[in-house]
Structure formats: C-alpha cells, structure tokens
Amino acid sequence: MRRTRLLTGVLLGAATALLALAGPVAADDDTSGKAPTEAGTSFRTAAQMQQDQKATASASTGDYLYWSYPADAGQRPTVRATVDLSTAQARHGAQTWRIDVYDGLRRRQSCMYGMQARTVPAEAKSVDLACTLRPVRAWSEAWANDPLPGTYYVRLTVTSLADADLGQPVSASVEAQSKDLGSSAAVDGKLSTPLVPGTTASAEKAAPADGWSSGWWTGRWVWTAAGAVLAALAGIGGYALTRGSGRPVGAP
C-alpha cells in the first residue's frame, strides 16, 4: 500500500506539471535589431521587420509602401498602420487609405475585423488603419486560402484622392502584433518549410526572433500525455479499491 501511495503521488505530480504546460507559451519579447525606417516599393523590395517592432517611412502620397514580417503557427496577427498627414500642404479633398496583407505566396488575406480602409476629410491630420488576420495554421489543404507560417507582406497606399494632392509628403508607421492562441489553433500536419520566398537562407533570415516552430509542438501533445497519466491514476485507484485485504473472494 505504501508503494502504491508513492507511485500515485509521483503520477499526480507529473500530471500537474503537464497540465501547467498546456497553457499558451509566453511570446518571446526579443525584438533585437532596429526597426526599418523606410519601406519598399514592391513585394521584392519590402522592408523586413519583426513583430512588435514599429517600422516607419517617409513617402509621397500615391506611393505603394511595402513591409514584411514573419508569422508562425498558432498566432493571430494584427497589423496596425498610422499615416501622418500633418506635414502635407492644404489638401484639395478627402483621401482614402488602405492596408492589405498578403502571405508568402502573395495571396491576399482577408481581415477578421479592423478598419482596413478609411476615408478622411481634407483637414484630417492622420488616419489609423488595422487588420486582424485569421489564425495562422500549421498546415492546410492545397486549395484553401488559410494563413500559413511564413512571410507576410503589408501594403499601404492611398486609393482615392484629388489629383492636385498627388505627390504631397506623408509619413507612415506600421506595426504587427500577434495573440498566441496555443492549442486552440492546432491542426494535424505541418508544412515542410515556411512560406518564405527565396532560398533556405532567406527563410532563416526572415524567421521570427525565436525561430520557426512549424507547428510540431502543440498543446495536443500535452493533453495526450496528461490523459495517459490520468488513465494510469484511474487504474491504480481502481486496483487499490478492489483489492481489499488480498484474500481470495469467498475465503473465510
């Protein structure tokens, strides 16, 4: 009986530790490296940034501005952009600004919510935009348009304005942040490599600060192990309850 109690205590301790690991892992706050202070003008020249960095750029109204950032499985990224219009001369009419987010295959990703496009009057000093993507999945069917681990591109531009306002100076800032969804976003399967355009070296260069997880470790592993431990505990408990005094059934 003493040995049974000891084994039960060990298994209970292991189960507690496994369940504690089942929660979302805290995001790495390492944002080493300076945020870019300019933007690219195409997908190929997009300025690279890490999540939680605020990238900035000076441009002219009408330019297409591009940035890129990495997103990994289990994350739900939100991209925010602010366009400062205060340095421009008196404008002649309203302007409509818009951000679009594309994955590593340059497929435009829809926003779950957020003000992706906004029209501001001529006297406005700034415009704020936001786009929250669907959760990034570790794997998906080839025909699906689900967000997958890899590089994501942000494009910022004005889509409507008075002709006389074309070319006026503006400044912009862009930031990407993610909520870690943990095992709630886990799926079976994983990509062989993240969707990062270019070579393997490009994938390493564009990786998150803490590297690519590619979805190989999820909360499902923890819950499976915890279930096995709890099943063992149930077996031990059932044996201890039914063993009785150890004498055969019906013995005097």
Side-chain angles (χ1 to χ4, degrees):
M1 181 63 71
R2 182 178 179 182
R3 184 167 54 184
T4 299
R5 286 198 300 266
L6 178 61
L7 180 57
T8 301
V10 172
L11 290 174
L12 279 172
T16 302
L18 288 170
L19 291 173
L21 290 173
V25 178
D28 191 340
D29 292 329
D30 181 15
T31 54
S32 58
K34 296 182 179 179
T37 56
E38 59 183 14
T41 56
S42 68
F43 287 104
R44 292 179 60 86
T45 61
Q48 290 187 5
M49 65 180 186
Q50 287 290 333
Q51 292 196 43
D52 299 317
Q53 287 184 331
K54 181 173 288 187
T56 57
S58 297
S60 299
T61 306
D63 290 345
Y64 283 88
L65 306 179
Y66 287 82
W67 295 268
S68 67
Y69 69 92
D72 212 345
Q75 296 181 337
R76 187 175 64 194
T78 295
V79 178
R80 295 181 177 87
T82 298
V83 183
D84 184 358
L85 305 172
S86 61
T87 58
Q89 301 173 359
R91 292 184 295 278
H92 299 81
Q95 295 184 0
T96 301
W97 288 81
R98 179 184 178 93
I99 56 171
D100 290 291
V101 182
Y102 300 82
D103 67 10
L105 298 179
R106 300 184 185 180
R107 304 176 301 180
R108 191 175 71 84
Q109 294 294 316
S110 59
C111 301
M112 290 179 61
Y113 45 83
M115 188 66 72
Q116 185 178 6
R118 176 171 287 176
T119 301
V120 295
E123 64 274 12
K125 298 300 182 182
S126 65
V127 55
D128 295 321
L129 305 169
C131 174
T132 298
L133 300 179
R134 293 170 296 161
V136 179
R137 298 163 59 90
W139 180 86
S140 179
E141 297 287 351
W143 49 262
N145 194 39
D146 296 317
L148 294 169
T151 297
Y152 282 77
Y153 297 94
V154 181
R155 183 178 71 184
L156 171 66
T157 191
V158 62
T159 59
S160 176
L161 78 166
D163 292 341
D165 294 333
L166 193 65
Q168 288 193 354
V170 295
S171 58
S173 63
V174 171
E175 185 177 13
Q177 296 178 319
S178 283
K179 179 179 180 180
D180 191 345
L181 301 180
S183 58
S184 63
V187 296
D188 294 327
K190 65 177 181 178
L191 296 180
S192 57
T193 56
L195 298 181
V196 178
T199 62
T200 303
S202 301
E204 295 176 355
K205 183 179 179 181
D210 54 356
W212 296 107
S213 70
S214 298
W216 72 272
W217 171 261
T218 71
R220 291 190 177 192
W221 290 87
V222 178
W223 288 112
T224 300
V229 171
L230 293 175
L233 288 174
I236 293 173
Y239 173 76
L241 290 173
T242 58
R243 188 179 61 170
S245 61
R247 291 178 298 178
V249 177

